[in-house]
Amino acid sequence: MSFKKVGSTVLSYFSSLPYLFGYIGRIFESSVIFFHRDKSAHKVLVMQLLFTFIEALPIVAILSISLGSALYIIGRSFLVSIGQGNLIYGLLAIFIVRELGPLLVAFVVTARSATAIATELGGMVTSHQIESFVACGIDPIDYLVVPRFIGVTLSVFFLNLYFSLCGLVSPVIISWFINPAASYGYMTNLLKAIPVFMIVVSLIKSLVFGMLISITATYYGFNVERASTEIPIAGIQAVTKSFFEIIIADVFIIVFSSL
């Protein structure tokens, strides 16, 4: 019985792959010409940016300042004790710019926006609003999915830059109050420790993570059928699947960037 259940689950997963690939292709196709379409969908994009990017700035700032400052103070004291104080700049670059920035920002956006998008679209399905869009000749992907896809992707991209900026600048401000002598030459040494390739990898991560979050959230939102009890399930699935996809994508990008 258990083998039959596992087999049916695997078959249902692979049977949905053509639809998923077609859905992703349709999103990318519509995104290319999004800004040349009717401006009514631009309001959805603005609202998505407001919720995902602007309203997330405080929590991202708290995370980046706390982690950057703690890493600098604790890491520098340890490295100085073994005579390797200059290694702190490379350590900050690796953790803040390449690893923690894209990953933590993606987790924050997933927790806030993936749930909201999936439940909102699921509610629109159960209340027959999607059918109303189709009846009026409006493509739900053009009007509902693509603005959220672009908005979430851009939000993760810019939040990653914001996280890196706060996480790298805050340690020198805090250390200036604790030990002013240690803050001299901080920015110069830090810039030397951040290669361009590391910045490119960080930006690629943020773009990939943003795409995964938005596609997953909208996909599970539209997968709600008729019962309103499916809406919270769609929200949970969107979050859990997004977390899993982000971690897998992060591993792949790290491996390929290290080749």
Side-chain angles (χ1 to χ4, degrees):
M1 185 67 180
S2 60
F3 287 107
K4 183 179 180 180
K5 185 176 181 180
V6 171
S8 61
T9 302
V10 173
L11 288 175
S12 63
Y13 173 78
F14 282 103
S15 64
S16 64
L17 284 181
Y19 169 76
L20 176 60
F21 288 140
Y23 179 72
I24 294 173
R26 181 70 180 82
I27 292 174
F28 279 102
E29 178 187 1
S30 184
S31 298
V32 174
I33 57 175
F34 173 76
F35 292 99
H36 298 286
R37 291 183 179 273
D38 182 53
K39 294 184 177 180
S40 58
H42 295 180
K43 296 180 180 178
V44 182
L45 172 60
V46 172
M47 295 303 296
Q48 189 64 55
L49 287 171
L50 176 64
F51 176 74
T52 307
F53 175 59
I54 302 298
E55 294 185 6
L57 289 176
I59 187 172
V60 171
I62 293 172
L63 279 174
S64 60
I65 292 172
S66 302
L67 290 173
S69 302
L71 183 63
Y72 178 77
I73 294 172
I74 298 172
R76 187 179 185 279
S77 62
F78 171 74
L79 292 172
V80 167
S81 67
I82 59 175
Q84 300 293 332
N86 287 332
L87 293 180
I88 187 61
Y89 304 106
L91 193 66
L92 280 172
I94 292 172
F95 277 92
I96 299 298
V97 177
R98 195 182 72 181
E99 300 303 330
L100 291 181
L103 203 58
L104 290 181
V105 165
F107 285 166
V108 170
V109 172
T110 298
R112 296 184 74 254
S113 296
T115 308
I117 292 173
T119 54
E120 181 185 10
L121 294 180
M124 296 178 73
V125 171
T126 57
S127 62
H128 305 286
Q129 294 183 50
I130 304 299
E131 296 175 2
S132 301
F133 279 118
V134 175
C136 294
I138 301 174
D139 191 334
I141 292 182
D142 292 338
Y143 186 77
L144 298 174
V145 176
V146 173
R148 288 167 172 80
F149 172 76
I150 297 175
V152 171
T153 303
L154 290 178
S155 296
V156 176
F157 180 84
F158 288 114
L159 283 173
N160 179 34
L161 293 176
Y162 179 71
F163 183 99
S164 298
L165 179 63
C166 293
L168 295 176
V169 173
S170 59
V172 68
I173 298 175
I174 294 176
S175 66
W176 188 84
F177 289 100
I178 299 174
N179 184 10
S183 62
Y184 295 140
Y186 174 87
M187 294 305 300
T188 303
N189 294 326
L190 182 63
L191 292 175
K192 291 179 181 179
I194 305 177
V196 176
F197 181 72
M198 183 181 294
I199 299 175
V200 172
V201 171
S202 176
L203 297 180
I204 291 175
K205 281 186 177 184
S206 62
L207 290 174
V208 172
F209 294 166
M211 293 178 187
L212 290 174
I213 294 168
S214 55
I215 291 173
T216 304
T218 55
Y219 176 78
Y220 281 101
F222 278 141
N223 270 353
V224 173
E225 295 183 358
R226 298 300 175 193
S228 59
T229 54
E230 298 178 24
I231 297 176
I233 298 176
I236 295 172
Q237 287 180 324
V239 172
T240 54
K241 298 292 185 181
S242 295
F243 281 150
F244 176 76
E245 292 165 3
I246 289 167
I247 294 172
I248 296 299
D250 185 58
V251 172
F252 273 102
I253 294 174
I254 291 174
V255 171
F256 281 112
S257 62
S258 301
L259 296 177

